[in-house]
Amino acid sequence: MPESCFHCGEEVPANLNLTVEIDGIKQPMCCPGCEAVANEIVEFGLLDYYRHRTELADKPTSLIPEELEKLSVYDLPQVQSGFVKEIDHDTRQTDLIIEGINCPACTWLIETRLGRTEGIVDINVNYSTQRCHVQWNNNNTSLTAILSMILELGYQGTPYNHEQRESVFDKERKKQLLRIGIAGLFGMQVMMISIALYFGHYSGIDETYKRFFYWISLLLTLPVLLFSGKILFAGAWRDIMQRHPGMDIPIALGLSIAFIGSLWATAFNPDNHVYYDSIVMFIFFILGGRYFEFMSRKRSVSYLDKVTSSLPPYATRLTEDNKQETVAIQSLAINEHVLVKPGEVIPIDGNVIAGESTVDESILTGESLPEAKRPGSNVIGGSVNIESPLTLLVTKTGEQTFLSGIAELINKSGSCRTKSVMLADKLVSIFICAILLIAAAVAFYWYQTDPSQWLPITVAVLVVTCPCALSLAMPTAMSCAATTLMQRGIALINQDGLEKLNQCNCFVFDKTGTLTKGKLELKKVALHQPDLNETFVLGVAAQLEAASEHPIARAILKVVGSETQAMAEQIINYPGQGISGNIDQTKWYIGTRSFIEEHCKLKVGNTDEYDPTLRQIILAKDSQVVASLFFSDPLRENSQQLIDTLKSDDKDIILMSGDHQLAVEHCAVSLGIKDARAELKPDEKQQHIAALQCEGKRVCIVGDGINDAPAFAEADVAIAMTEASDLTKLNADLLLLNHNIGSMITLLNIGKRTNFTIKTNFAWAIAYNIVALPFAIAGFLAPWMAALGMSLSSLVVVLNATRLLTKESG
């Protein structure tokens, strides 16, 4: 009985023996097209397609080129389900890993070319991680079309996952080492022959031996030029075809001129010099420099990869009869129970319902000391259980976890290009065009003045001025800074924010949860109506606050208990002010003094229990004040140190809060803040910040990021200290994951060091070209010396940036 093709189901010809190993079993294929597509599915970990498909695939047509046959598999819904996210009915988004990116100009080329394509909504390429975030309209284009365009540009795109990225990095590292090895091995032989030729030039050498050495040098140079140097010529050709002046163009041009001139001398004019030694040394030096830059880039993103891939693939689920079963974390559901043993990574966000232990959350918070967890405590997926087993109630899984939210923010940050980076890319393109014009003028001048010198001098000019260092000056520094910040519990969400932070001269702080701990504790209840009791008042307050995540809500529910009465009806939340809702046909309000006075149309007076050092919340119904609730909220340990640091840097400090006047003034006096503004609504904070900007201030706001959303959007830089579960609501540039206000001091220091590093990188790159170019034009630099100088200049920029990864950076 004839076999059927495992991929498309058609009959396999009797004389054909094509198989692909799928799930450990060799499966028959009916044609090379099916074999290519199946291999693509297996190679990139998309076996779920075969496991969950409901019908066989169509047979690839032989009219489609083999590469397009491979790419077409990515349009299959079963395949896309594993890595493509559906934004709405028409819009899709995914992350790709791009192979072949050699410099920041490559990312610009991909973004520009694909960004102009109809149907592509958004595209960003992260130079450091080689990760491409793309969003498209499925009615106007397809993922196959996008991958085809990337392939046409000379790169290869595949679905992103951590293992795939590591595989790509490892494969690229081996390729680079092989190129360097070939260049070094054959280059040493060429250099030894060149030494003999140099000595022969001054002491005399037989013409036969000279020609023989020329031909041997040519043969030894060809593997270096055609194999090791192939990537340089391919990059130049790609830039030319896309009409984009990239850095590989002057390099390839210089190599071509040197090789053609040497080949001419070898074959027809042995009296002239040959430059095979310069060719091999140039290729060796530039590949060596790129390898060190590549490894530095890998090092700078390794920690971010560790963070974003720290969730385990499996979890131990507890069944209703308390039996343990190992399941994939994708199969976990909300409210299920999970057992986490000592030493295991917590796979979900959840609440502890049984057991006591300590948990290491350093991967996110940067805090080395573990945190104690007991029943009722929250835990974050990705942290490590240390001492004892914990039984957890699942509250969030998959993309909804805190870690996944942070990972998405980090990836978007790395993919977005700052204005400074885009400006640098434009300057590099202009600079390359200028180099080509200068080189042409230099070649013409020296050909008229001394024909024997025009070739080496022109090559030296093209090589020594290659702006590799200029293009690397900022991306390498920002990548290293992002890693260092993450290690200290600070997520860089918007790279522009770190640039602007150094320019900020006015810092605006929220009070609750920012300068104070935000863990409010109910201290006392003052009844305005003697016929009501405290239990009733707290019950009403709990029903109104039941759905809120505000610290006040948590403090009330902690006293009353989460198993309170039913939630109030028709609840309306007024961010930063209060809540209204109906209970037993009665309209109730809870919130700030100004909120109650506005909505209940009455004047709130103080009771005998009034304490200006405590935060006051009013409970009222209709036009009647029922009770005042007073909460304590102590200052954070490092708040005073931060304020003193900002004062020493001559920064303006303003406290803006929605709390009542006396409580805000008490906090301001305690910290030595002279400008305190109280009882502000979110839109009023925005207006105050806009007024400060009109005065010429560069404003940085620090708050919870959700209640202050309008102010965050208005400020030049926004820093969020939040325990918000929905990170998508944040409109922040930076996020303090450890909820430690003292991290702001570390952030400011790293911001200063990053700014200084970027400036020194640009200064070095510009100074190097200004100094080296005249020497090359004057003929004082041999081509190999120019190659060494150019490679060293790039290496200096990379090494300078990696200093941000040291512990002293913070």
Side-chain angles (χ1 to χ4, degrees), residues 451-500:
S452 65
Q453 293 297 315
W454 81 270
L455 191 148
I457 291 176
T458 302
V459 172
V461 169
L462 287 169
V463 170
V464 80
T465 54
C466 181
C468 294
L470 190 62
S471 69
L472 293 171
M474 191 165 185
T476 52
M478 294 301 294
S479 177
C480 292
T483 298
T484 301
L485 288 170
M486 194 66 202
Q487 289 172 336
R488 287 154 178 78
I490 305 168
L492 179 59
I493 299 172
N494 180 3
Q495 293 189 358
D496 270 328
L498 192 60
E499 287 185 60
K500 295 177 181 177

Short mmCIF file of all heavy atoms in Angstrom, two decimals, residues 451-500:
data_model
loop_
_atom_site.label_atom_id
_atom_site.label_comp_id
_atom_site.label_asym_id
_atom_site.label_seq_id
_atom_site.Cartn_x
_atom_site.Cartn_y
_atom_site.Cartn_z
N PRO A 451 51.41 59.53 -9.47
CA PRO A 451 50.57 58.38 -9.83
C PRO A 451 50.86 57.12 -9.00
O PRO A 451 49.97 56.29 -8.82
CB PRO A 451 50.89 58.15 -11.31
CG PRO A 451 51.35 59.48 -11.80
CD PRO A 451 52.08 60.10 -10.65
N SER A 452 52.07 57.00 -8.45
CA SER A 452 52.40 55.79 -7.68
C SER A 452 51.75 55.80 -6.30
O SER A 452 51.72 54.77 -5.62
CB SER A 452 53.92 55.67 -7.54
OG SER A 452 54.44 56.74 -6.75
N GLN A 453 51.25 56.98 -5.86
CA GLN A 453 50.70 57.09 -4.50
C GLN A 453 49.18 57.18 -4.46
O GLN A 453 48.60 57.06 -3.37
CB GLN A 453 51.29 58.35 -3.83
CG GLN A 453 52.77 58.28 -3.56
CD GLN A 453 53.12 57.17 -2.58
OE1 GLN A 453 52.46 57.02 -1.56
NE2 GLN A 453 54.15 56.40 -2.92
N TRP A 454 48.53 57.37 -5.57
CA TRP A 454 47.09 57.63 -5.52
C TRP A 454 46.31 56.45 -4.95
O TRP A 454 45.36 56.63 -4.17
CB TRP A 454 46.55 57.98 -6.91
CG TRP A 454 46.28 56.80 -7.81
CD1 TRP A 454 47.13 56.21 -8.68
CD2 TRP A 454 45.05 56.06 -7.88
NE1 TRP A 454 46.55 55.16 -9.31
CE2 TRP A 454 45.26 55.04 -8.83
CE3 TRP A 454 43.81 56.15 -7.24
CZ2 TRP A 454 44.27 54.11 -9.17
CZ3 TRP A 454 42.82 55.23 -7.57
CH2 TRP A 454 43.05 54.23 -8.50
N LEU A 455 46.73 55.22 -5.31
CA LEU A 455 45.97 54.05 -4.87
C LEU A 455 46.05 53.83 -3.35
O LEU A 455 45.02 53.74 -2.67
CB LEU A 455 46.44 52.81 -5.63
CG LEU A 455 45.57 51.55 -5.47
CD1 LEU A 455 45.61 50.72 -6.74
CD2 LEU A 455 46.05 50.70 -4.29
N PRO A 456 47.27 53.73 -2.76
CA PRO A 456 47.31 53.49 -1.30
C PRO A 456 46.71 54.63 -0.49
O PRO A 456 46.07 54.38 0.55
CB PRO A 456 48.80 53.33 -1.00
CG PRO A 456 49.49 53.99 -2.12
CD PRO A 456 48.63 53.77 -3.33
N ILE A 457 46.88 55.86 -0.96
CA ILE A 457 46.33 57.00 -0.20
C ILE A 457 44.80 57.01 -0.27
O ILE A 457 44.12 57.26 0.73
CB ILE A 457 46.93 58.31 -0.73
CG1 ILE A 457 48.42 58.39 -0.36
CG2 ILE A 457 46.19 59.52 -0.14
CD1 ILE A 457 49.13 59.60 -0.92
N THR A 458 44.26 56.73 -1.46
CA THR A 458 42.80 56.69 -1.60
C THR A 458 42.20 55.59 -0.73
O THR A 458 41.18 55.79 -0.07
CB THR A 458 42.42 56.46 -3.08
OG1 THR A 458 42.98 57.50 -3.88
CG2 THR A 458 40.90 56.46 -3.24
N VAL A 459 42.83 54.42 -0.75
CA VAL A 459 42.35 53.31 0.08
C VAL A 459 42.40 53.70 1.56
O VAL A 459 41.46 53.44 2.32
CB VAL A 459 43.18 52.04 -0.17
CG1 VAL A 459 42.82 50.95 0.83
CG2 VAL A 459 42.95 51.55 -1.60
N ALA A 460 43.50 54.32 1.98
CA ALA A 460 43.65 54.73 3.38
C ALA A 460 42.55 55.73 3.78
O ALA A 460 42.01 55.65 4.88
CB ALA A 460 45.03 55.34 3.61
N VAL A 461 42.22 56.66 2.89
CA VAL A 461 41.18 57.65 3.18
C VAL A 461 39.82 56.97 3.33
O VAL A 461 39.05 57.26 4.26
CB VAL A 461 41.12 58.72 2.07
CG1 VAL A 461 39.87 59.58 2.21
CG2 VAL A 461 42.36 59.59 2.11
N LEU A 462 39.52 56.04 2.42
CA LEU A 462 38.23 55.34 2.50
C LEU A 462 38.10 54.52 3.77
O LEU A 462 37.04 54.45 4.39
CB LEU A 462 38.07 54.43 1.28
CG LEU A 462 37.78 55.11 -0.05
CD1 LEU A 462 37.91 54.12 -1.20
CD2 LEU A 462 36.38 55.71 -0.04
N VAL A 463 39.21 53.91 4.17
CA VAL A 463 39.17 52.99 5.30
C VAL A 463 39.18 53.73 6.63
O VAL A 463 38.39 53.45 7.53
CB VAL A 463 40.34 51.99 5.23
CG1 VAL A 463 40.46 51.18 6.52
CG2 VAL A 463 40.16 51.06 4.04
N VAL A 464 40.09 54.68 6.76
CA VAL A 464 40.30 55.31 8.07
C VAL A 464 39.10 56.14 8.51
O VAL A 464 38.88 56.33 9.72
CB VAL A 464 41.59 56.19 8.04
CG1 VAL A 464 41.31 57.54 7.39
CG2 VAL A 464 42.15 56.36 9.44
N THR A 465 38.31 56.61 7.56
CA THR A 465 37.19 57.48 7.92
C THR A 465 35.86 56.76 8.02
O THR A 465 34.82 57.40 8.19
CB THR A 465 37.05 58.60 6.86
OG1 THR A 465 36.96 58.01 5.56
CG2 THR A 465 38.22 59.55 6.91
N CYS A 466 35.85 55.43 7.93
CA CYS A 466 34.59 54.69 8.05
C CYS A 466 33.94 55.02 9.40
O CYS A 466 34.55 54.84 10.45
CB CYS A 466 34.84 53.20 7.95
SG CYS A 466 33.33 52.22 8.07
N PRO A 467 32.70 55.51 9.41
CA PRO A 467 32.08 56.02 10.65
C PRO A 467 31.45 54.94 11.53
O PRO A 467 30.38 55.13 12.10
CB PRO A 467 31.02 56.98 10.12
CG PRO A 467 30.59 56.37 8.83
CD PRO A 467 31.82 55.72 8.23
N CYS A 468 32.11 53.78 11.66
CA CYS A 468 31.56 52.72 12.51
C CYS A 468 31.43 53.21 13.96
O CYS A 468 30.42 52.97 14.62
CB CYS A 468 32.47 51.49 12.47
SG CYS A 468 32.53 50.69 10.85
N ALA A 469 32.48 53.86 14.45
CA ALA A 469 32.46 54.33 15.84
C ALA A 469 31.33 55.33 16.06
O ALA A 469 30.67 55.33 17.11
CB ALA A 469 33.80 54.96 16.19
N LEU A 470 31.08 56.18 15.07
CA LEU A 470 30.03 57.20 15.20
C LEU A 470 28.65 56.55 15.31
O LEU A 470 27.81 56.98 16.10
CB LEU A 470 30.09 58.14 14.00
CG LEU A 470 29.23 59.41 14.07
CD1 LEU A 470 29.67 60.28 15.23
CD2 LEU A 470 29.32 60.18 12.75
N SER A 471 28.41 55.52 14.52
CA SER A 471 27.10 54.87 14.53
C SER A 471 26.88 54.03 15.78
O SER A 471 25.75 53.78 16.18
CB SER A 471 26.93 54.00 13.29
OG SER A 471 27.79 52.88 13.34
N LEU A 472 27.98 53.56 16.41
CA LEU A 472 27.87 52.74 17.62
C LEU A 472 27.83 53.56 18.90
O LEU A 472 27.54 53.03 19.97
CB LEU A 472 29.05 51.76 17.70
CG LEU A 472 29.12 50.67 16.63
CD1 LEU A 472 30.45 49.93 16.74
CD2 LEU A 472 27.97 49.69 16.80
N ALA A 473 28.13 54.85 18.80
CA ALA A 473 28.33 55.68 19.99
C ALA A 473 27.15 55.64 20.94
O ALA A 473 27.31 55.50 22.15
CB ALA A 473 28.63 57.13 19.57
N MET A 474 25.94 55.74 20.41
CA MET A 474 24.77 55.82 21.28
C MET A 474 24.08 54.48 21.54
O MET A 474 23.75 54.17 22.68
CB MET A 474 23.77 56.82 20.71
CG MET A 474 22.67 57.16 21.70
SD MET A 474 21.77 58.61 21.21
CE MET A 474 20.70 58.80 22.62
N PRO A 475 23.84 53.64 20.50
CA PRO A 475 23.14 52.38 20.76
C PRO A 475 23.82 51.49 21.79
O PRO A 475 23.16 50.88 22.63
CB PRO A 475 23.10 51.71 19.38
CG PRO A 475 23.19 52.82 18.41
CD PRO A 475 24.08 53.84 19.06
N THR A 476 25.15 51.40 21.74
CA THR A 476 25.85 50.54 22.70
C THR A 476 25.71 51.07 24.12
O THR A 476 25.51 50.30 25.07
CB THR A 476 27.34 50.43 22.33
OG1 THR A 476 27.90 51.74 22.18
CG2 THR A 476 27.54 49.65 21.05
N ALA A 477 25.80 52.39 24.28
CA ALA A 477 25.68 52.98 25.62
C ALA A 477 24.27 52.78 26.18
O ALA A 477 24.10 52.43 27.35
CB ALA A 477 26.03 54.47 25.57
N MET A 478 23.24 52.98 25.37
CA MET A 478 21.87 52.84 25.84
C MET A 478 21.55 51.40 26.18
O MET A 478 20.84 51.11 27.15
CB MET A 478 20.89 53.37 24.78
CG MET A 478 20.97 54.86 24.54
SD MET A 478 20.66 55.86 26.02
CE MET A 478 18.95 55.47 26.33
N SER A 479 22.08 50.46 25.40
CA SER A 479 21.84 49.05 25.67
C SER A 479 22.47 48.64 27.00
O SER A 479 21.85 47.94 27.80
CB SER A 479 22.42 48.19 24.53
OG SER A 479 22.27 46.83 24.80
N CYS A 480 23.70 49.08 27.25
CA CYS A 480 24.38 48.76 28.51
C CYS A 480 23.67 49.43 29.69
O CYS A 480 23.55 48.83 30.77
CB CYS A 480 25.84 49.20 28.45
SG CYS A 480 26.85 48.24 27.29
N ALA A 481 23.21 50.65 29.49
CA ALA A 481 22.50 51.37 30.56
C ALA A 481 21.21 50.66 30.92
O ALA A 481 20.87 50.52 32.10
CB ALA A 481 22.22 52.81 30.14
N ALA A 482 20.46 50.18 29.92
CA ALA A 482 19.21 49.48 30.18
C ALA A 482 19.44 48.21 30.99
O ALA A 482 18.68 47.89 31.91
CB ALA A 482 18.51 49.13 28.85
N THR A 483 20.53 47.50 30.68
CA THR A 483 20.86 46.28 31.43
C THR A 483 21.22 46.62 32.86
O THR A 483 20.77 45.96 33.81
CB THR A 483 22.02 45.55 30.75
OG1 THR A 483 21.63 45.16 29.44
CG2 THR A 483 22.41 44.31 31.53
N THR A 484 22.05 47.63 33.06
CA THR A 484 22.47 48.02 34.40
C THR A 484 21.28 48.47 35.24
O THR A 484 21.17 48.12 36.42
CB THR A 484 23.51 49.16 34.32
OG1 THR A 484 24.63 48.71 33.56
CG2 THR A 484 23.98 49.57 35.70
N LEU A 485 20.37 49.23 34.64
CA LEU A 485 19.18 49.67 35.37
C LEU A 485 18.32 48.48 35.78
O LEU A 485 17.82 48.42 36.91
CB LEU A 485 18.37 50.64 34.50
CG LEU A 485 18.96 52.04 34.31
CD1 LEU A 485 18.18 52.80 33.25
CD2 LEU A 485 18.97 52.81 35.62
N MET A 486 18.15 47.53 34.86
CA MET A 486 17.32 46.37 35.17
C MET A 486 17.91 45.56 36.31
O MET A 486 17.19 45.03 37.15
CB MET A 486 17.17 45.50 33.91
CG MET A 486 16.08 44.47 34.02
SD MET A 486 14.44 45.23 34.11
CE MET A 486 13.51 43.92 34.87
N GLN A 487 19.22 45.46 36.36
CA GLN A 487 19.88 44.73 37.45
C GLN A 487 19.65 45.40 38.80
O GLN A 487 19.76 44.75 39.83
CB GLN A 487 21.38 44.63 37.17
CG GLN A 487 21.72 43.68 36.03
CD GLN A 487 23.19 43.75 35.67
OE1 GLN A 487 23.86 44.74 35.91
NE2 GLN A 487 23.70 42.68 35.08
N ARG A 488 19.30 46.66 38.78
CA ARG A 488 19.06 47.40 40.02
C ARG A 488 17.58 47.66 40.25
O ARG A 488 17.20 48.53 41.02
CB ARG A 488 19.85 48.72 39.98
CG ARG A 488 21.34 48.47 40.17
CD ARG A 488 22.18 49.58 39.54
NE ARG A 488 23.60 49.36 39.76
CZ ARG A 488 24.34 48.49 39.07
NH1 ARG A 488 23.78 47.74 38.15
NH2 ARG A 488 25.63 48.36 39.33
N GLY A 489 16.74 46.92 39.53
CA GLY A 489 15.30 47.00 39.77
C GLY A 489 14.62 48.18 39.12
O GLY A 489 13.59 48.65 39.60
N ILE A 490 15.19 48.69 38.02
CA ILE A 490 14.60 49.83 37.31
C ILE A 490 14.43 49.44 35.84
O ILE A 490 15.40 49.09 35.17
CB ILE A 490 15.51 51.08 37.40
CG1 ILE A 490 15.81 51.41 38.86
CG2 ILE A 490 14.87 52.27 36.70
CD1 ILE A 490 16.92 52.43 39.04
N ALA A 491 13.20 49.47 35.35
CA ALA A 491 12.92 49.11 33.96
C ALA A 491 12.90 50.37 33.10
O ALA A 491 12.16 51.32 33.40
CB ALA A 491 11.60 48.37 33.85
N LEU A 492 13.70 50.38 32.05
CA LEU A 492 13.73 51.49 31.11
C LEU A 492 12.68 51.22 30.03
O LEU A 492 12.85 50.35 29.18
CB LEU A 492 15.12 51.64 30.48
CG LEU A 492 15.30 52.75 29.45
CD1 LEU A 492 14.99 54.10 30.06
CD2 LEU A 492 16.72 52.73 28.90
N ILE A 493 11.58 51.97 30.08
CA ILE A 493 10.46 51.75 29.17
C ILE A 493 10.61 52.60 27.91
O ILE A 493 10.27 52.18 26.81
CB ILE A 493 9.13 52.05 29.87
CG1 ILE A 493 8.96 51.12 31.08
CG2 ILE A 493 7.95 51.89 28.93
CD1 ILE A 493 7.78 51.46 31.95
N ASN A 494 11.13 53.80 28.07
CA ASN A 494 11.30 54.72 26.94
C ASN A 494 12.72 55.29 27.01
O ASN A 494 13.06 56.00 27.95
CB ASN A 494 10.27 55.84 27.00
CG ASN A 494 10.39 56.82 25.86
OD1 ASN A 494 11.22 56.64 24.96
ND2 ASN A 494 9.59 57.86 25.87
N GLN A 495 13.55 54.95 26.02
CA GLN A 495 14.95 55.37 26.06
C GLN A 495 15.10 56.87 26.00
O GLN A 495 16.08 57.42 26.52
CB GLN A 495 15.73 54.70 24.91
CG GLN A 495 15.86 53.20 25.09
CD GLN A 495 16.81 52.57 24.08
OE1 GLN A 495 17.36 53.24 23.22
NE2 GLN A 495 17.01 51.28 24.21
N ASP A 496 14.15 57.56 25.39
CA ASP A 496 14.19 59.02 25.40
C ASP A 496 14.15 59.57 26.83
O ASP A 496 14.71 60.62 27.12
CB ASP A 496 13.01 59.60 24.61
CG ASP A 496 13.34 59.79 23.13
OD1 ASP A 496 14.52 60.07 22.84
OD2 ASP A 496 12.45 59.63 22.30
N GLY A 497 13.46 58.83 27.71
CA GLY A 497 13.33 59.28 29.10
C GLY A 497 14.67 59.38 29.80
O GLY A 497 14.90 60.32 30.58
N LEU A 498 15.58 58.44 29.55
CA LEU A 498 16.89 58.48 30.19
C LEU A 498 17.72 59.64 29.67
O LEU A 498 18.48 60.26 30.42
CB LEU A 498 17.63 57.15 29.96
CG LEU A 498 18.88 56.93 30.79
CD1 LEU A 498 18.55 56.95 32.27
CD2 LEU A 498 19.56 55.62 30.42
N GLU A 499 17.56 59.94 28.38
CA GLU A 499 18.26 61.10 27.82
C GLU A 499 17.76 62.40 28.45
O GLU A 499 18.53 63.26 28.85
CB GLU A 499 18.04 61.16 26.30
CG GLU A 499 18.79 60.13 25.49
CD GLU A 499 18.58 60.35 24.01
OE1 GLU A 499 18.95 61.44 23.52
OE2 GLU A 499 18.03 59.46 23.34
N LYS A 500 16.42 62.52 28.55
CA LYS A 500 15.83 63.77 29.04
C LYS A 500 16.00 63.94 30.54
O LYS A 500 15.94 65.07 31.04
CB LYS A 500 14.33 63.80 28.69
CG LYS A 500 14.04 63.85 27.19
CD LYS A 500 12.53 63.81 26.96
CE LYS A 500 12.19 63.83 25.48
NZ LYS A 500 10.73 63.71 25.26
#
